[in-house]
Amino acid sequence: MFDVAHARGLYVWLGEGWVYLNAQEQAQIPERVNTAATYSFRNAHLRTAVEATSGSHSQSQKSGAPIGDSYVASARRAVADLVGARANQVVLGPSRAALLRNLADCLSHRVGIGTEVVLARSNADSAIDPWVRSAHLYGATVKWAEADLASGALPAWQFTSLVSPSTAIVALPAAHALVGAVTDVEAISSSVHRISPRAWTIVDATDVLPYRHVEIQSWGADVVALDLAPLGGPELGALVFRDEAMFDRLRPPRRRGWSSSLSVSSSSLGVSAVQGHGRHAGAGLVEWDPPQAALCGSLAALVDHWAGLDDSATGTRRRRLQSTMPKIDTYLAALAAHLVYGLKDLGVYVIGFDDESSHVERVPRISFIIPGMSAEAAQARLADNGVIVGVADSDSLFDAMGVTESGGALTVGLAPYNTAHDVDHLLRSVSVLR
């Protein structure tokens, strides 16, 4: 059973009277992450001290190595543990969007006349735009996978007809950010690789990671993209490749300032074999703008925090994540069900939760419309009652559903620090608005 009291004790700002139900927009930052960030910004620019060695098995330390290098190396290991990978498969950058733009440039040689790019229209714009731009530049055909307008889910069956032997790229979300409908990534990846073995399947896992333990090999994805801020971490993004050999398939971008014979040294990647975690030179084509070392210093603390939310979990960090995340998922699923049933009892329209969509697998992201009131006005009224929720005023799925025309929707993202009391307070506040 998940101990929410233990989890809440790790977030120092929860005692100020606000009910934070906006994890999909701005997750609360754990205290240990705050502490690690302060320490890393203070020390990242310093150099390691020289340590004396003794004994026949002692290993001398490289004198004067930047402390920030060790932060970048530990950040790679932390992200690898999140998705069941190895550190040398991880590329870090300022954001998921920036890294996907770089990746699209590096795969432009695969996207040309006679090839196809399959995109999910319900994916985030930042995860779609790089591939649309690349397809338009180099002559590829863009095909669109559509979400079910009743549930918000992205049906896996449509990819068997959308994907062909000419397909080069398939990009999709692991879940919809605002209605929580989970995509069957494993089934889609299997279909893609069976029909077009050369195609790359690129999955945006940002909205699943706060609730599920991800295994890139089980998914069958070629690349997993994520932002760390929704977990309560720094503004950093990451790409995780299925295996290190995939870096050999990247090519320098076809744009001014890049040479076709570009060679990237390991030192330009922000880490050079720190603690045995050297980087493949090809990864530098994507990580050409290395992450800030000081920001990387809090990533290990972030993943340690998530692994420690269940204080009964034991073993390595990855094993503790495997044990902890299902408990978080079960706890928050019950909390989300309580919220949905309560909103429906109040006569509020909950988007994607009709009677026919009860079978859809979801993460606890919920959007709803209060009849007769715009989303922004409702958000302000709820804030007056101490409840912080988000507003979705524009989203491709919501545009198709007609939600945008109706004035937008209020959105809720649950987190491990939320309680039944938080949900009840929201329901009481909504009842006053009805």
Side-chain angles (χ1 to χ4, degrees):
M1 183 179 229
F2 182 67
D3 185 356
V4 66
H6 166 70
R8 287 180 65 83
L10 304 176
Y11 297 85
V12 299
W13 302 110
L14 296 180
E16 294 190 336
W18 291 99
V19 173
Y20 292 102
L21 295 169
N22 63 333
Q24 80 288 355
E25 289 184 341
Q26 192 172 31
Q28 293 300 298
I29 301 175
E31 177 58 20
R32 72 187 300 172
V33 176
N34 275 322
T35 302
T38 301
Y39 183 87
S40 61
F41 270 94
R42 185 185 302 128
N43 293 281
H45 66 288
L46 302 178
R47 301 281 172 160
T48 55
V50 179
E51 297 181 4
T53 61
S54 61
S56 58
H57 298 286
S58 181
Q59 184 177 19
S60 62
Q61 182 184 20
K62 182 181 178 182
S63 61
I67 293 177
D69 280 0
S70 67
Y71 294 160
V72 177
S74 66
R76 297 191 202 282
R77 293 193 297 270
V79 172
D81 283 345
L82 275 177
V83 298
R86 297 186 303 276
N88 58 6
Q89 298 166 231
V90 177
V91 171
L92 299 172
S95 69
R96 169 199 56 180
L99 288 171
L100 285 174
R101 287 195 299 269
N102 294 347
L103 179 63
D105 284 342
C106 294
L107 292 177
S108 61
H109 63 286
R110 301 174 65 88
V111 181
I113 297 174
T115 65
E116 298 170 349
V117 174
V118 178
L119 306 174
R121 205 182 300 273
S122 59
N123 208 352
D125 289 345
S126 59
I128 291 175
D129 292 346
W131 307 110
V132 172
R133 178 177 64 94
S134 186
H136 288 170
L137 280 173
Y138 303 113
T141 300
V142 177
K143 292 183 175 180
W144 294 98
E146 305 288 352
D148 180 73
L149 295 184
S151 66
L154 185 66
W157 54 262
Q158 64 186 309
F159 286 85
T160 58
S161 57
L162 288 171
V163 177
S164 76
S166 300
T167 300
I169 300 291
V170 177
L172 62 147
H176 189 272
L178 302 179
V179 300
V182 174
T183 305
D184 191 346
V185 174
E186 186 175 352
I188 294 172
S189 296
S190 177
S191 296
V192 170
H193 293 144
R194 174 172 46 83
I195 299 170
S196 179
R198 69 183 295 272
W200 284 39
T201 304
I202 299 164
V203 181
D204 181 0
T206 300
D207 298 303
V208 163
L209 277 173
Y211 311 107
R212 307 282 176 88
H213 181 68
V214 172
E215 291 282 350
I216 186 171
Q217 298 299 336
S218 298
W219 268 2
D222 295 293
V223 181
V224 169
L226 57 134
D227 276 323
L228 282 308
L231 288 168
E235 294 289 342
L236 285 173
L239 297 182
V240 185
F241 289 72
R242 177 171 43 82
D243 61 65
E244 194 178 4
M246 298 183 70
F247 293 128
D248 292 327
R249 306 177 200 173
L250 304 178
R251 298 291 182 270
R254 302 177 190 174
R255 64 187 184 196
R256 192 174 185 179
W258 288 84
S259 166
S260 61
S261 60
L262 177 65
S263 174
V264 182
S265 66
S266 61
S267 61
S268 70
L269 302 172
V271 58
S272 57
V274 175
Q275 298 180 2
H277 290 276
R279 298 289 292 132
H280 190 289
L285 298 176
V286 182
E287 200 181 75
W288 61 268
D289 184 17
Q292 187 175 350
L295 285 176
C296 291
S298 61
L299 272 186
L302 175 68
V303 180
D304 286 338
H305 163 79
W306 281 88
L309 284 175
D310 177 16
D311 56 2
S312 66
T314 58
T316 65
R317 182 168 58 191
R318 185 173 300 183
R319 287 187 179 276
R320 284 181 283 128
L321 284 168
Q322 292 170 341
S323 172
T324 299
M325 298 310 293
K327 293 182 180 180
I328 293 174
D329 185 30
T330 300
Y331 169 72
L332 291 180
L335 214 57
H338 175 44
L339 174 57
V340 171
Y341 292 143
L343 289 171
K344 287 186 173 182
D345 286 343
L346 293 173
V348 172
Y349 177 63
V350 184
I351 301 170
F353 282 82
D354 61 13
D355 294 336
E356 296 181 359
S357 64
S358 58
H359 65 284
V360 175
E361 185 181 359
R362 298 181 187 273
V363 294
R365 300 283 180 83
I366 298 155
S367 297
F368 58 96
I369 299 172
I370 300 177
M373 182 175 290
S374 71
E376 290 186 354
Q379 182 192 40
R381 293 281 299 276
L382 289 175
D384 290 339
N385 286 280
V387 181
I388 304 299
V389 298
V391 169
D393 53 6
S394 179
D395 177 82
S396 58
L397 177 61
F398 283 6
D399 290 345
M401 288 179 166
V403 173
T404 306
E405 293 180 2
S406 70
L410 294 172
T411 66
V412 167
L414 296 178
Y417 48 76
N418 288 129
T419 65
H421 175 271
D422 295 342
V423 172
D424 289 338
H425 188 39
L426 171 61
L427 292 173
R428 286 192 298 270
S429 300
V430 170
S431 69
V432 175
L433 304 182
R434 294 286 296 118

